[in-house]
Amino acid sequence: ETIVHEIAHQWWGDMITCRDWPNIWLNEGFATYCEGLYYESIGGPDLYHDYMYDITYIEYPYGQSIYVMDTTETWGIFSYRVYAKGAWVLHMLRHITGDSVFFEIMNQYRAEYEWGTAVTEDFQAVCESVSGLDLSAYFQQWIYGVCQPNYRHAYYTEPNPTGGWDIYYHVRQLQTTDPQVFVMPLDVRVTLLSGDPVDFVIHNDQREQDFLFHVDSEPRNVFLDPDSWVLKLSEWEQYGLRILNEKLSDGVQGEPYLDSVIAKGGYPGHDLVYEVFNDALPSGLEIDAATGIISGTTYASGDIDFIVEVTDEYFPASYADTMAYEIYLQPVASRPGDANVDADVNVGDVVFLINYVFKGGPAPEVPNWADANADCAVNVGDAVYLIAFIFNGGPIPQLGCVD
């Protein structure tokens, strides 16, 4: 390894030299990565991956980047993280771009900067030019950021009614260092009870994120980054219970509304229970406790905010999740005098108002429409006002001021 490393410096370090000490990873990370390429050349991909895995025994607890901020100490410059993590930067980049593009990048970098010096920004520019990718987030987090992602992943499976199986996959990052969210493509491998494994690629760019996969036969297990292309810590955890949709559709005032909260998980064989905190849905809308379907017709308008909690029917303390929702109900054109909200102003509105005022009938859905004389109250005066308008050619109804 030492011989390979020092020979590699004839290219990465001598023919192209880092312009200053903070960019030392361009020398040492490149030469260390060439050790992995040597093992790949004599033992194939398995030996290559074994070597890359072997150099991850440091977990970077130092909170320092491989861009060396403090160059006053020799061993601060030539720290192991610069060598090993620098090599992993190239290892991960190779997987993101693919082999042919990656080695074209290396050739182009040599061609542009041989017999000269370079800094990280120069290498990044070559990578982006050759690959056509925006790699700003990649370089920011892996060169100037510290540590590595610490993943927890979980999955829940169920048969799809139309055939095959659905896999609900959840990934979260636990690290408290900078960055708190590593933006990376991640390989996910699903092994099946029958048939060959199926591979998927997810784009993880959130602290917690859900994905849906479909396979033809029953899954046996799900693995995150099975070939170790990402420098990481990771563990499997129980799926628990998850609300999957962060948004619900908007609606229109006075028109039927239909959407549903989608949740998966809970104790196997148990039903889920859906509930809105504090009865925050406007009058006319309701949530089905067994299905999470929100339906009905309401004359509320504007932004409606509410929180939904989903629990396991028998173990609500162990399996639960909540989600805050905001739906926008588009207001319809105002209809002053339409007390019974039937899209017309007629004797039916008079009957509705008399029933409400004198007999305890239902309250108006839109009080401002029922306040026909605009005196900021709904009372018998509005019924009298409407009778005059309908039968005697009296003044037209006004938009009220109750709300």
Side-chain angles (χ1 to χ4, degrees), residues 148-161:
Q148 76 270 50
N150 187 353
Y151 297 112
R152 295 294 182 272
H153 60 111
Y155 65 93
Y156 172 83
T157 67
E158 65 180 12
N160 187 296

Side-chain angles (χ1 to χ4, degrees), residues 15 40 70 75 122-124 200 212 221 231 242 254 288 321 330 374 399:
M15 183 175 66
E40 184 177 21
D70 182 1
W75 296 116
D122 298 325
F123 180 61
Q124 178 183 338
F200 299 91
L212 174 61
N221 210 338
L231 181 62
R242 296 284 304 164
D288 189 298
D321 195 13
Q330 180 181 349
L399 183 61

Side-chain angles (χ1 to χ4, degrees), residues 181-316:
V181 177
F182 280 81
V183 179
M184 288 293 290
L186 298 172
D187 295 344
V188 178
R189 179 166 298 157
V190 179
T191 59
L192 309 174
L193 291 179
S194 61
D196 296 329
V198 182
D199 289 337
F200 299 91
V201 178
I202 61 176
H203 182 68
N204 178 220
D205 59 0
Q206 300 175 34
R207 186 76 169 174
E208 294 201 34
Q209 205 164 359
D210 292 285
F211 302 90
L212 174 61
F213 309 130
H214 183 80
V215 292
D216 293 334
S217 62
E218 185 174 356
R220 179 193 298 272
N221 210 338
V222 181
F223 299 93
L224 176 66
D225 187 32
D227 297 322
S228 295
W229 281 107
V230 178
L231 181 62
K232 68 187 184 302
L233 301 172
S234 67
E235 290 183 12
W236 175 87
E237 65 182 1
Q238 187 177 12
Y239 186 83
L241 194 159
R242 296 284 304 164
I243 297 177
L244 300 180
N245 53 331
E246 297 181 355
K247 295 182 179 180
L248 295 171
S249 59
D250 294 331
V252 178
Q253 179 187 32
E255 293 187 7
Y257 182 86
L258 183 64
D259 205 346
S260 61
V261 176
I262 300 172
K264 298 294 178 180
Y267 192 84
H270 290 184
D271 292 330
L272 303 181
V273 179
Y274 299 78
E275 183 179 6
V276 173
F277 280 167
N278 302 323
D279 297 321
L281 284 177
S283 175
L285 292 185
E286 62 180 6
I287 187 169
D288 189 298
T291 64
I293 295 174
I294 298 175
S295 62
T297 301
T298 180
Y299 283 88
S301 63
D303 292 324
I304 308 298
D305 298 311
F306 56 95
I307 298 175
V308 175
E309 180 182 47
V310 185
T311 58
D312 182 279
E313 60 176 335
Y314 295 124
F315 300 137

